[in-house]
Amino acid sequence: MNERTARDVVLMRAIETADTKREILTEDDRVYASRSARELAHWQAAEGKSEPRLDHFLGQRAELVLKRLAERTPAFAAFRQRRSLLPMLAVLLPIIGFAAGAGLDRIGNPHRVDLLSAPLLAVLAWNLLVYVALIVWALVPSKRTGWASPRLLRRLSVGKAALPRKLPAPLAAGIAQYFTDWSALTAKLTHLRLGRTIHLAAAAFALGAIASLYARGVLTQYAAGWESTFLDAQQVHTLLSVLFAPALAVFPLQGFTLADVQALRFVQEPSSAGGARWVHLYAATLLLLVVLPRLVLALVSGLRARRLAHRFPLDLGQPYYRLLADRVGASGPAVLRVIPYSFTVDEPRHKGLAAVAAMVLGEQAQLMLRPSCPYGEEPKELLRDARLDDAGVAITAVLFNLAATPERENHGAFLEYLARNTPRGIAVLLDESGLVERGAVDARLVERVALWHQFCQYHHIQGTVVDLLHPERHPLDLGSGLPVSGGA
């Protein structure tokens, strides 16, 4: 799936999930989009003599859904025309960089070449520091994207966070969720593109400085030299030998001796002889230490970004996509793994869990029920044989009894361990069937639900109330789904 298709699919998911009451997308709209997209996906599969592909189905369905919304809501049609700031920055920043470099026509003085030019040394030192930082970021694993802040990446990914006016409430909520989802999914891609632009701008800056040196040299007679309060000729000669060593090693340029450096000290009468030599050395040094490395880095970032954009890493194993896959017949049965905590699941409740799995993952869904985890035990020991990163599991859900009282050191520790170690995140099922069986009144149920929701929110996880003896009381379909939180 490429980036453009993935963006439409993520937007479709956010809007459909927010529109739980079918206010902006009726059930007929959804069925029509699914049926038409399924036919197109099967036609494409027949053309290619292959099995129907989920990404083709999702892309076609997203196009149909978003087109229908754009026809009904002009403000949404305008929103879809928004474009990222990155393409504009990719053009403007290198132009600005070249202009700034060309304007730096005082690498000392417009009529002299300063061997100890502070601007030149600063440009070279800054770029060398950047190379060291890039090496460190490459060698030290981190979830952060390096020098770019999440806020900057979000702005570059989705543009202004302000919602268009005159949008229905569910559509506005869906777009707001899309902003969050898409900025997180594209953080790496945006970082690569921004890095490519910055590298090109740095290379353009150095090229501008080189062009300025040679352009002024055509119309101006340079006087080469140096001056320093603390450095003598020997120290300056050593510094320049190190600075210009790469240029002298690669290009057939005229070198210099200690006597040459001594003769160019500005305490004497400035000499106009040999100015071209130092211009060539400056230009070659900028070319080797700034322009070429930056162009290579820009090329690497660009190739990585292009590969990522053509093979966008959208996890189609998530419940929303697995349910759609079940409808189009583009994948095998999805698995709901349930981990009860201090909860014995009898046969009727086992059937209720199977019904919940079918609601959220389709009729082909499979239930994987693990043994109940005893109260108060260490989560790491209880789950040492569980493959929490199993790619074949669509949803991992923790099952609690709504009648129990949540405790941070037990229930909370169990939740946090699972949330940290389950890459796709976890869902929380709160079974009310025990309270209902004991004849709990509505006020008691509301009180327990509020207590558990508050507890789950404290751990940044959303709880879902179910009745495993009567699953139809709390339907979980494509609209409401089963919220999944946490994960890597």
Side-chain angles (χ1 to χ4, degrees), residues 3-18 66 76 79-80 82-84 154 157-160 163 170-186:
E3 178 190 5
R4 180 177 179 180
T5 302
R7 181 174 60 245
D8 288 346
V9 169
V10 171
L11 180 57
M12 174 185 69
R13 180 187 65 179
I15 293 172
E16 276 197 291
T17 304
L66 299 180
F76 179 73
F79 164 76
R80 288 200 69 199
R82 284 188 183 181
R83 292 295 178 262
S84 168
R154 176 189 174 100
S157 296
V158 300
K160 294 181 180 179
L163 294 172
L171 189 53
I175 293 177
Q177 184 60 46
Y178 160 77
F179 285 155
T180 301
D181 295 343
W182 188 245
S183 60
L185 288 169
T186 57

Side-chain angles (χ1 to χ4, degrees), residues 19-56:
D19 185 27
T20 57
K21 297 181 180 179
R22 274 55 173 177
E23 296 178 39
I24 55 175
L25 283 172
T26 66
E27 190 62 32
D28 288 342
D29 292 333
R30 301 175 192 225
V31 170
Y32 167 78
S34 295
R35 183 174 63 249
S36 301
R38 181 173 60 249
E39 292 174 356
L40 288 170
H42 281 282
W43 177 79
Q44 289 178 330
E47 286 287 316
K49 297 181 179 179
S50 61
E51 293 297 321
R53 287 178 51 181
L54 179 57
D55 57 338
H56 288 167

Side-chain angles (χ1 to χ4, degrees), residues 3-313:
E3 178 190 5
R4 180 177 179 180
T5 302
R7 181 174 60 245
D8 288 346
V9 169
V10 171
L11 180 57
M12 174 185 69
R13 180 187 65 179
I15 293 172
E16 276 197 291
T17 304
D19 185 27
T20 57
K21 297 181 180 179
R22 274 55 173 177
E23 296 178 39
I24 55 175
L25 283 172
T26 66
E27 190 62 32
D28 288 342
D29 292 333
R30 301 175 192 225
V31 170
Y32 167 78
S34 295
R35 183 174 63 249
S36 301
R38 181 173 60 249
E39 292 174 356
L40 288 170
H42 281 282
W43 177 79
Q44 289 178 330
E47 286 287 316
K49 297 181 179 179
S50 61
E51 293 297 321
R53 287 178 51 181
L54 179 57
D55 57 338
H56 288 167
F57 167 72
L58 291 174
Q60 296 289 350
R61 189 176 187 275
E63 184 177 349
L64 291 169
V65 167
L66 299 180
K67 182 179 180 181
R68 180 66 59 88
L69 289 174
E71 291 171 351
R72 294 173 178 173
T73 311
F76 179 73
F79 164 76
R80 288 200 69 199
Q81 299 302 317
R82 284 188 183 181
R83 292 295 178 262
S84 168
L85 296 174
L86 272 175
M88 181 176 63
L89 286 179
V91 175
L92 287 181
L93 283 185
I95 293 176
I96 294 173
F98 185 87
L104 193 70
D105 58 357
R106 298 177 179 272
I107 301 183
N109 184 292
H111 296 287
R112 80 182 194 188
V113 180
D114 192 345
L115 273 62
L116 296 178
S117 168
L120 173 65
L121 295 176
V123 169
L124 293 173
W126 170 252
N127 280 274
L128 292 175
L129 181 62
V130 168
Y131 304 151
V132 171
L134 291 175
I135 292 173
V136 171
W137 278 323
L139 296 178
V140 179
S142 174
K143 291 184 179 180
R144 290 182 56 84
T145 50
W147 47 270
S149 69
R151 183 176 180 180
L152 173 62
L153 295 180
R154 176 189 174 100
R155 181 64 185 271
L156 294 176
S157 296
V158 300
K160 294 181 180 179
L163 294 172
R165 297 180 179 179
K166 300 180 180 180
L167 285 179
L171 189 53
I175 293 177
Q177 184 60 46
Y178 160 77
F179 285 155
T180 301
D181 295 343
W182 188 245
S183 60
L185 288 169
T186 57
K188 184 177 180 180
L189 179 58
T190 304
H191 184 268
L192 287 172
R193 288 172 171 166
L194 180 60
R196 177 191 59 191
T197 300
I198 295 297
H199 291 315
L200 288 175
F205 180 88
L207 286 173
I210 293 172
S212 174
L213 279 173
Y214 281 106
R216 285 190 298 109
V218 173
L219 302 175
T220 304
Q221 179 67 48
Y222 283 125
W226 63 276
E227 58 187 357
S228 175
T229 302
F230 301 105
L231 301 178
D232 58 25
Q234 177 64 52
Q235 293 169 321
V236 173
H237 177 265
T238 302
L239 175 63
L240 294 178
S241 297
V242 173
L243 179 64
F244 296 131
L248 291 171
V250 174
F251 298 104
L253 299 175
Q254 182 183 358
F256 52 90
T257 64
L258 176 59
D260 293 333
V261 174
Q262 178 65 49
L264 292 176
R265 191 162 189 171
F266 277 126
V267 294
Q268 307 171 27
E269 183 65 23
S271 172
S272 60
R277 177 205 308 182
W278 302 103
V279 170
H280 295 328
L281 286 172
Y282 283 147
T285 300
L286 286 171
L287 181 65
L288 286 177
L289 298 185
V290 181
V291 177
L292 293 181
R294 290 288 194 161
L295 289 178
V296 170
L297 289 170
L299 178 62
V300 171
S301 295
L303 291 175
R304 292 177 62 193
R306 183 177 180 181
R307 183 171 62 250
L308 200 59
H310 281 78
R311 298 179 180 179
F312 195 84

Side-chain angles (χ1 to χ4, degrees), residues 411-436:
H411 304 80
F414 192 75
L415 277 181
E416 290 181 356
Y417 176 82
L418 282 172
R420 282 196 311 269
N421 293 280
T422 309
R424 283 183 175 168
I426 61 172
V428 173
L429 297 175
L430 306 171
D431 179 38
E432 67 177 16
S433 62
L435 284 174
V436 174

Side-chain angles (χ1 to χ4, degrees), residues 10 13 54 181 185 313-325 334 360-361 391 393-395 424 484:
V10 171
R13 180 187 65 179
L54 179 57
D181 295 343
L185 288 169
L314 186 62
D315 183 8
L316 298 183
Q318 297 178 21
Y320 173 87
Y321 304 122
R322 295 301 293 264
L323 182 54
L324 287 175
V360 298
L361 294 174
V393 175
I395 306 177
R424 283 183 175 168
V484 176

